Amino acid sequence: MGKRETIRALTAGDLARLGTASVLLLCCWGGVVVSFARLRAALLWAADKARVPGSPSPSRIVWAVHVVDQRLPGERKCLVRSLTAEVLLHLYGFSPTHRIGVDRTTEGDIQAHSWLVWNDDVLIGQLPDLDSFEELPPLGQR
């Protein structure tokens, strides 16, 4: 199946989620360098005010973030992907837990990772060694 047939097979809701995920990924990618806390607060506030119709599952919403992230040029870190997914999930009325954890590498450096949890499942940011990260308190529960 070619790209044209694949696009035709998507629902209008999927196409809207892909478009929204594209805009959010780019906004988050550029915005996290300014202030993550301010950007997150502003985007979640807007998402709470601008609920969208439809009832996709959380996994289908996160699917849109993955698809767009793979197709946009450049590389985005886990913080950008998880913030994008969190805002998109809020647009549909979901409030996942945003987790950030830290771990030491074998060289002794500190590394951080960001992921989202919904109903005890990791929606985005799953890693084989996720349990090795020491979780910081969840980002502001809403």
Side-chain angles (χ1 to χ4, degrees):
M1 183 183 296
K3 283 185 182 180
R4 181 171 273 160
E5 290 80 17
T6 302
I7 291 172
R8 286 185 186 152
L10 296 174
T11 66
D14 284 338
L15 292 172
R17 281 183 286 284
L18 289 170
T20 305
S22 299
V23 171
L24 285 171
L25 267 174
L26 293 172
C27 287
C28 292
W29 190 22
V32 293
V33 297
V34 178
S35 168
F36 173 76
R38 283 191 203 154
L39 175 65
R40 181 175 179 267
L43 289 173
L44 290 177
W45 177 85
D48 285 342
K49 302 295 182 212
R51 295 287 164 88
V52 294
S55 55
S57 67
S59 62
R60 192 63 177 175
I61 295 168
V62 170
W63 163 86
V65 176
H66 284 299
V67 167
V68 171
D69 184 50
Q70 292 171 354
R71 286 165 177 77
L72 284 177
E75 179 184 348
R76 281 144 305 277
K77 301 291 183 187
C78 57
L79 186 62
V80 170
R81 289 188 300 272
S82 60
L83 178 57
T84 299
E86 182 181 21
V87 173
L88 196 53
L89 285 157
H90 268 267
L91 282 169
Y92 288 96
F94 297 102
S95 295
T97 302
H98 196 149
R99 302 302 315 221
I100 294 180
V102 293
D103 191 20
R104 288 202 179 267
T105 65
T106 54
E107 296 81 24
D109 297 328
I110 293 177
Q111 63 180 0
H113 186 61
S114 175
W115 66 97
L116 295 181
V117 176
W118 175 256
N119 289 342
D120 296 325
D121 292 324
V122 175
L123 288 174
I124 192 165
Q126 181 65 274
L127 295 175
D129 62 345
L130 191 59
D131 291 341
S132 69
F133 285 84
E134 183 178 332
E135 294 182 14
L136 301 175
L139 294 179
Q141 293 293 344
R142 302 178 51 82

